[in-house]
């Protein structure tokens, strides 16, 4: 098995295997810990605060638990997606394309989510059903110290998220038009790769991955635009209170002739015969399932993600001191990871408002 296959198998096993509350004998735990220490890729994971996430999945997001577990039922359930971002995280998707697994390898990020953000995040999404914060369905932590984790050969923490691009591969295969994805952050921050020496010290590939640019506008009704910005203000207020910066708006633009709900529907229960089907109205569209633009050209999906960089963590403080020192020589201003949470929130909301056109 390859490295990716072993990591994927470890993740699938942790999610699909029922966690026992019964304590194992001391000698048994000792032997498992010793064996786990020499693992390079097949780390043993535990589902952190499974009670909180199970409650979110079943009670708040109404996700059928057996259907969720079925997506991780075998070691072949996950497909490696490679590096999908600039953070160096690894990604897997489930075979049914419903969920993404993203590694959170940096200690200051996974400890921030575990110790500082998790409970406020849970309380917030419970109180705000329309929250645009990405739905995090599980959080895996390594159970035993392993050489693979120490040496950085395998990620020690993972989050499970819903896949906002559900249906994209099927649409591409059927030639139904191009889905476009944008990972948007304010562009006017200092990016060393782009702004030092005119960008000549970095490759074009590196610079291209720094910040996406959204061409055009999201054309909405006034009510849709007001609702979208009001929800973003609530969500980013939580992130500001928790000291988070550098989060992004993940946006998908879908040509209108495609049905963004088709793939969600295929995972629901089998339809009842017409004579037995209850007359229940369809749920209204959301930014998760797709909002049709007011000009009728596109369907848009959007979430806020990557909110794991906290200003009070040691690495963030070191970066801030480094950039302040550099600005004594070449005044470039703050980076998105060294600015203050309130300042980042202001620029982020301004960016979001600029890509909206209300009609």
């Amino acid at each position: 098995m390859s490295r990716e296959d072993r990591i994927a198998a470890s993740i699938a096993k942790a999610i699909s295997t029922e966690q026992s509350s019964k304590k194992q004998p001391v000698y048994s735990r000792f032997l498992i810990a010793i064996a786990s220490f020499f693992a390079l890729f097949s780390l043993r994971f535990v589902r952190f605060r499974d009670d909180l996430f199970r409650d979110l999945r079943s009670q708040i997001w109404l996700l059928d638990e057996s259907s969720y577990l079925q997506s991780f039922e075998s070691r072949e359930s996950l497909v490696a997606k490679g590096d999908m971002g600039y953070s160096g995280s690894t990604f897997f998707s489930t075979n049914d394309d419903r969920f993404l697994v993203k590694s959170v390898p940096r200690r200051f990020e996974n400890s921030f989510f575990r110790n500082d953000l998790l409970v406020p995040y849970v309380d917030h999404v419970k109180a705000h059903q329309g929250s645009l914060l990405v739905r995090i369905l599980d959080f895996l932590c390594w159970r035993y110290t392993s050489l693979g984790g120490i040496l950085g050969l395998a990620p020690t923490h993972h989050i499970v998220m819903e896949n906002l691009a559900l249906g994209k591969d099927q649409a591409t295969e059927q030639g139904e038009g191009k889905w476009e994805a944008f990972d948007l952050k304010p562009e006017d921050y200092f990016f060393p790769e782009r702004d030092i020496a005119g960008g000549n010290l970095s490759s074009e590939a590196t610079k291209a991955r720094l910040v996406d640019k959204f061409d055009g506008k999201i054309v909405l009704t006034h009510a849709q635009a007001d609702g979208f910005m009001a929800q973003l203000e609530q969500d980013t207020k939580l992130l500001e209170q928790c000291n988070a910066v550098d989060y992004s708006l993940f946006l998908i633009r879908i040509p209108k002739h495609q049905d963004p709900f088709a793939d969600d529907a295929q995972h629901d229960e089998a339809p009842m015969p017409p004579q037995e089907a209850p007359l229940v109205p369809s749920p209204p569209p959301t930014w998760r399932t797709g909002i049709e633009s007011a000009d009728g050209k596109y369907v848009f999906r959007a979430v806020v993600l990557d909110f794991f960089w906290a200003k009070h963590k040691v690495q963030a403080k070191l970066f801030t001191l480094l950039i302040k020192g550099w600005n004594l020589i070449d005044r470039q201003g703050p980076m998105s990871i060294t600015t203050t949470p309130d300042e980042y929130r202001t620029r982020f909301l301004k960016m979001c408002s600029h890509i909206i056109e209300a009609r």
Side-chain angles (χ1 to χ4, degrees), residues 25-321:
V26 175
Y27 70 87
S28 178
R29 283 181 285 155
F30 177 74
L31 292 176
I32 293 174
I34 293 297
S36 298
F37 178 77
F38 293 100
L40 297 181
F41 308 122
S42 301
L43 277 59
R44 289 178 178 264
F45 294 105
V46 62
R47 297 167 75 180
F48 184 77
R49 290 304 306 269
D50 185 43
D51 57 328
L52 287 182
F53 289 106
R54 187 184 294 269
D55 185 51
L56 280 181
R57 292 193 302 267
S58 60
Q59 301 301 320
I60 305 303
W61 296 327
L62 305 180
L63 178 63
D64 181 69
E65 189 69 10
S66 61
S67 173
Y68 172 68
L69 296 177
Q70 189 176 5
S71 295
F72 301 89
E73 62 183 352
S74 70
R75 67 183 352 175
E76 292 83 21
S77 298
L78 296 177
V79 180
K81 305 295 284 189
D83 180 6
M84 295 172 61
Y86 193 69
S87 65
S89 297
T90 57
F91 286 80
F92 295 91
S93 69
T94 54
N95 277 323
D96 56 18
D97 232 19
R98 296 173 66 197
F99 307 107
L100 289 175
V101 180
K102 177 187 176 182
S103 67
V104 190
R106 296 184 289 206
R107 178 179 172 80
F108 70 95
E109 289 184 317
N110 59 59
S111 66
F112 167 62
F113 180 66
R114 181 178 64 247
N115 302 328
D116 302 277
L117 184 60
L118 176 56
V119 173
Y121 168 83
V122 170
D123 291 341
H124 179 82
V125 297
K126 283 183 176 181
H128 301 88
Q129 294 290 314
S131 174
L132 290 165
L133 298 180
V134 66
R135 291 185 175 181
I136 298 177
L137 304 158
D138 248 320
F139 182 44
L140 304 182
C141 307
W142 62 343
R143 188 166 191 171
Y144 301 101
T145 302
S146 303
L147 280 176
I150 295 173
L151 299 175
L153 301 177
T156 59
H157 294 73
H158 302 271
I159 57 171
V160 180
M161 308 180 294
E162 63 178 348
N163 183 12
L164 202 68
L166 178 65
K168 178 181 178 181
D169 292 342
Q170 181 180 354
T172 301
E173 291 173 1
Q174 296 175 356
E176 295 180 346
K178 183 181 179 182
W179 291 32
E180 299 171 280
F182 305 89
D183 193 2
L184 302 174
K185 297 180 183 180
E187 297 179 42
D188 52 348
Y189 281 110
F190 168 45
F191 292 94
E193 300 89 342
R194 181 193 67 192
D195 300 326
I196 292 179
N200 294 322
L201 302 180
S202 301
S203 66
E204 291 300 321
T206 298
K207 288 181 286 187
R209 294 166 63 192
L210 290 174
V211 181
D212 286 347
K213 293 184 178 181
F214 179 70
D215 56 315
K217 296 281 187 178
I218 304 175
V219 182
L220 301 173
T221 65
H222 284 282
Q224 288 174 327
D226 291 344
F228 181 63
M229 291 306 303
Q231 188 57 61
L232 282 175
E233 288 176 2
Q234 290 180 329
D235 292 335
T236 55
K237 186 63 177 177
L238 169 74
L239 300 180
E240 178 189 346
Q241 291 170 346
C242 293
N243 263 349
V245 295
D246 202 40
Y247 43 87
S248 60
L249 179 72
F250 186 68
L251 185 70
I252 293 182
R253 181 167 60 188
I254 307 169
K256 174 58 182 68
H257 66 274
Q258 299 173 41
D259 180 8
F261 305 101
D263 288 89
D264 282 332
Q266 73 181 9
H267 294 291
D268 294 339
E269 296 293 330
M272 299 172 64
Q275 67 273 17
E276 299 178 19
L279 298 177
V280 179
S282 300
T286 67
W287 285 99
R288 292 178 44 257
T289 57
I291 296 292
E292 182 179 340
S293 61
D295 59 6
K297 294 181 179 180
Y298 299 102
V299 170
F300 289 95
R301 296 178 183 175
V303 291
V304 176
L305 42 70
D306 288 344
F307 35 75
F308 298 131
W309 190 285
K311 282 290 293 181
H312 59 277
K313 292 296 182 179
V314 173
Q315 187 156 342
K317 291 180 178 179
L318 291 176
F319 264 92
T320 301
L321 288 175

Side-chain angles (χ1 to χ4, degrees), residues 341-354:
D342 60 328
E343 201 272 348
Y344 186 82
R345 176 175 181 250
T346 299
R347 291 203 204 185
F348 179 83
L349 291 174
K350 183 179 179 181
M351 174 202 73
C352 293
S353 67
H354 282 178

